[in-house]
Amino acid sequence: MILIVDDKPENIFSLRSLLETKGFQVDTALSGEEALKNVLKKDYALIILDVQMPGMDGFEVAETLAGYSKTKEIPIIFLSAVNTDKKFITKGYASGGIDYITKPVDPDILMLKVKTFYRLYEQTLALNEVKRKLQQEVESRKQAQEELKIKVDFLHTVLETIPQIAFTADSNGHITFVNENWFKYSRSTVDLPEFHPEDTLIHTFFEKHIESGEPFEAEIRIKSVISNVYRFHLLRIIPIKEGGRVSSWVGTFTDIEDQKQVESKKDEFLSIASHELKTPLTSIKAYIQLLERLVRQEGNENVSTYIHRAQDQVIKLESLIADLLDISKIENGKLKVNFAPFDLESLVENAIDTILHTHEHLDIRIEREGEPLNVDVCADVIRIEQVLINFLTNAIKYSPGTEKVIVRTEIKNGQAYVKVRDFGIGIPKEKQEHVFSKFYRVEESSVKFQGLGIGLYICAEIVRQHNGTYGVESEEGEGTTFYFSIPLN
Ligand code: ADP
């Protein structure tokens, strides 16, 4: 809208008609004071201002407008009949006007100027808007940078306080920060600690993970720059993602040397102890068998019962020692499986018979479901039977007072599946993933039921060696299904 300010209504009338015929919206004021009031209330793209007015003259109005931030950009054309003197024209420009026209007004010239200033004003507004947005953008970037710096400083402080060696790297894996502990294993801030010659493959894995953006974890030996001795560390590298893209990495080396030493001593002890226990146990077993034969000949029922009980306990002891021996074999990578073809169905039947025989005193049925496994598989028959017997023993052990256990067999996707389902105490959801770990026992049931927590760990290792699969499904209080599968070929 254009504002015409003139104290003579007839001047306003002619100008207004001229502008309106050209399609402009027009507002008017009969004095400088009225013009100022209008300007504060409405937005104008151009003001045509008469210089000679009673009260505030045109120059004063222009000077006032130049002082307000809202109005200082509005272009002003001065109109004057009298003051055509050069010094008035200069004053007009000095007080903020953009152009100066003397009366009588040439309508064509006026229209040309009005159009030009109008367009100029619109462009100025657009430019101001762009400037405002740019400023906003710069501000928000500055703020984001400051926030990022605070976060990075915080992360570095945290990394300095932890006992581990810690570092950060950019998205390409180049190191950007290291904490003090780093210098116990590396002399420079850019080089990784020296890896043991047998662990150098880690570099390749590390590079692959950097490419794929996946977290990385490995046990490696690194060399201390102080003692020149290698110590086992757990290396963990985690990606930091921003908008789905890896922006940096945070890594730690945790010293696990002492833990490793204790573990290896424990494994060594287990291996020696189970070997040493085995020899006297074999003798005890043989003597009990001899005793049993003698007592049978004499027909003493009572003694015979006790001897059977002693035999049962010896069998349990034997299986415990066998498990302990298996554990040490697994640790040393010496758990051997002897592959040979055999009929899986007869293995399942044998295992069920053995279990029924050893649990004669219990009132529990073992039912079969699914298709019989009349297929020859190439596997270690003794080890696979061990897995099934373990599942069945657990199914009975952890289901006191229930009537049955179901063995379901099926062939699917080139694998023979054996599932053992019980209706016992079940396993809490969050604990299920741990039951195949070494020495793991579910806390809630560990007091009531005896065990070492190694049976399932051995089963998992045996199935892994057969390239099979294993798992557990369970509902607390409803029962549990353990399964394993082995490939048919
Ligand atoms: P153990 O039975 O000697 O403790 P296992 O390795 O065979 O060791 O089993 C590990 C743990 O898994 C057990 O301590 C028990 O808490 C849980 N578990 C195994 N089988 C069952 C089952 N059928 N029902 C409920 N819990 C089970």
Side-chain angles (χ1 to χ4, degrees):
M1 193 158 29
I2 298 172
L3 175 66
I4 306 169
V5 189
D6 202 313
D7 59 321
K8 295 188 188 67
E10 62 276 17
N11 285 353
I12 288 188
F13 178 77
S14 60
L15 256 178
R16 178 184 203 136
S17 319
L18 174 68
L19 291 171
E20 281 181 345
T21 53
K22 300 291 176 194
F24 288 103
Q25 273 190 320
V26 176
D27 198 13
T28 59
L30 283 164
S31 67
E33 290 81 355
E34 193 188 342
L36 288 180
K37 271 190 219 153
N38 285 3
V39 151
L40 289 180
K41 279 188 259 157
K42 298 178 194 166
D43 288 326
Y44 298 108
L46 175 68
I47 300 174
I48 301 174
L49 189 56
D50 185 22
V51 173
Q52 276 280 300
M53 286 187 291
M56 264 182 129
D57 70 14
F59 298 139
E60 282 174 287
V61 175
E63 269 164 13
T64 315
L65 290 177
Y68 291 134
S69 60
K70 180 177 182 239
T71 54
K72 68 173 192 267
E73 305 285 359
I74 307 175
I76 297 170
I77 300 176
F78 286 113
L79 275 186
S80 173
V82 203
N83 301 314
T84 43
D85 201 324
K86 192 175 160 197
K87 84 168 188 270
F88 281 101
I89 296 177
T90 327
K91 192 175 176 195
Y93 283 112
S95 60
I98 279 194
D99 211 339
Y100 200 100
I101 295 179
T102 49
K103 294 176 189 171
V105 176
D106 177 330
D108 290 336
I109 300 275
L110 179 71
M111 275 328 295
L112 274 177
K113 293 194 176 199
V114 166
K115 277 186 191 158
T116 310
F117 289 132
Y118 205 96
R119 206 178 320 124
L120 211 77
Y121 180 70
E122 279 176 342
Q123 281 170 356
T124 311
L125 282 189
L127 224 87
N128 283 349
E129 181 60 16
V130 171
K131 199 167 122 195
R132 195 186 58 78
K133 282 201 176 135
L134 262 167
Q135 245 162 3
Q136 231 174 25
E137 173 80 18
V138 169
E139 278 305 312
S140 64
R141 280 194 188 197
K142 236 201 232 160
Q143 200 182 341
Q145 251 170 4
E146 268 164 30
E147 279 168 13
L148 188 71
K149 190 177 171 313
I150 292 172
K151 276 190 197 155
V152 169
D153 287 349
F154 177 72
L155 173 70
H156 289 176
T157 316
V158 171
L159 293 183
E160 279 300 355
T161 56
I162 59 174
Q164 283 99 333
I165 300 168
F167 63 96
T168 59
D170 65 16
S171 56
N172 299 318
H174 300 132
I175 291 167
T176 47
F177 166 84
V178 296
N179 70 355
E180 270 304 305
N181 290 331
W182 175 269
F183 298 103
K184 294 178 188 163
Y185 286 86
S186 173
R187 289 187 202 281
S188 99
T189 50
V190 287
D191 295 325
L192 282 173
E194 188 184 328
F195 289 5
H196 190 278
E198 286 169 22
D199 296 342
T200 45
L201 256 184
I202 300 287
H203 279 295
T204 329
F205 284 124
F206 180 41
E207 277 157 21
K208 272 196 189 139
H209 280 256
I210 295 278
E211 264 171 41
S212 66
E214 293 295 316
F216 176 68
E217 194 176 297
E219 288 183 3
I220 53 156
R221 282 158 286 181
I222 52 174
K223 195 177 187 179
S224 155
V225 291
I226 304 156
S227 62
N228 271 337
V229 170
Y230 289 102
R231 285 181 72 85
F232 256 108
H233 280 74
L234 176 70
L235 167 62
R236 240 190 217 146
I237 306 175
I238 289 167
I240 310 279
K241 293 192 177 170
E242 270 171 40
R245 236 176 38 86
V246 175
S247 63
S248 55
W249 296 83
V250 179
T252 51
F253 288 89
T254 309
D255 192 325
I256 51 166
E257 179 66 28
D258 297 342
Q259 211 174 311
K260 278 263 168 198
Q261 301 248 357
V262 171
E263 250 178 59
S264 107
K265 288 217 174 86
K266 186 196 70 207
D267 291 339
E268 202 182 325
F269 169 76
L270 270 182
S271 163
I272 296 170
S274 39
H275 262 114
E276 293 301 313
L277 286 171
K278 223 176 141 183
T279 325
L281 190 70
T282 316
S283 311
I284 294 174
K285 212 175 154 187
Y287 287 128
I288 292 183
Q289 267 169 6
L290 278 177
L291 255 180
E292 198 225 350
R293 232 173 279 160
L294 281 178
V295 169
R296 212 185 315 138
Q297 283 161 9
E298 286 173 16
N300 187 331
E301 275 298 311
N302 270 347
V303 179
S304 175
T305 312
Y306 291 135
I307 285 179
H308 274 130
R309 284 190 193 162
Q311 261 173 336
D312 284 350
Q313 294 308 318
V314 167
I315 289 170
K316 274 190 191 160
L317 203 55
E318 206 176 32
S319 116
L320 277 178
I321 291 171
D323 278 357
L324 286 177
L325 258 175
D326 280 349
I327 287 266
S328 62
K329 281 183 194 155
I330 292 173
E331 300 307 326
N332 299 324
K334 286 183 190 152
L335 185 86
K336 295 265 171 326
V337 283
N338 301 311
F339 289 91
F342 64 87
D343 175 39
L344 205 49
E345 184 57 30
S346 34
L347 177 143
V348 174
E349 280 163 14
N350 278 347
I352 294 176
D353 277 352
T354 310
I355 289 293
L356 288 177
H357 183 68
T358 47
H359 293 79
E360 268 168 351
H361 54 291
L362 288 180
D363 211 5
I364 195 151
R365 298 192 307 280
I366 298 182
E367 289 179 4
R368 274 298 299 273
E369 273 184 10
E371 49 184 320
L373 297 177
N374 292 116
V375 282
D376 260 4
V377 289
C378 193
D380 186 323
V381 62
I382 296 174
R383 289 296 184 185
I384 295 298
E385 192 171 84
Q386 181 182 348
V387 174
L388 182 52
I389 286 184
N390 213 312
F391 282 7
L392 285 166
T393 313
N394 279 354
I396 293 171
K397 176 159 119 187
Y398 294 101
S399 314
T402 59
E403 294 168 1
K404 64 173 177 184
V405 165
I406 299 172
V407 176
R408 186 180 173 82
T409 47
E410 63 190 9
I411 290 173
K412 213 168 65 185
N413 304 331
Q415 303 251 345
Y417 280 84
V418 181
K419 301 183 179 185
V420 177
R421 179 174 179 199
D422 65 54
F423 300 88
I425 60 169
I427 303 169
K429 280 267 170 298
E430 69 283 4
K431 313 235 156 138
Q432 291 173 16
E433 58 175 309
H434 303 295
V435 292
F436 291 97
S437 311
K438 189 167 50 163
F439 298 125
Y440 184 84
R441 309 203 67 224
V442 175
E443 226 173 82
E444 289 84 339
S445 52
S446 61
V447 182
K448 193 168 167 203
F449 303 93
Q450 287 180 345
L452 290 180
I454 51 179
L456 291 178
Y457 171 71
I458 298 169
C459 292
E461 181 60 27
I462 293 172
V463 177
R464 261 198 299 270
Q465 295 225 15
H466 283 82
N467 287 327
T469 64
Y470 58 87
V472 59
E473 288 153 17
S474 184
E475 279 297 328
E476 246 184 302
E478 307 257 312
T480 307
T481 302
F482 275 96
Y483 72 86
F484 71 88
S485 75
I486 46 173
L488 290 180
N489 300 320

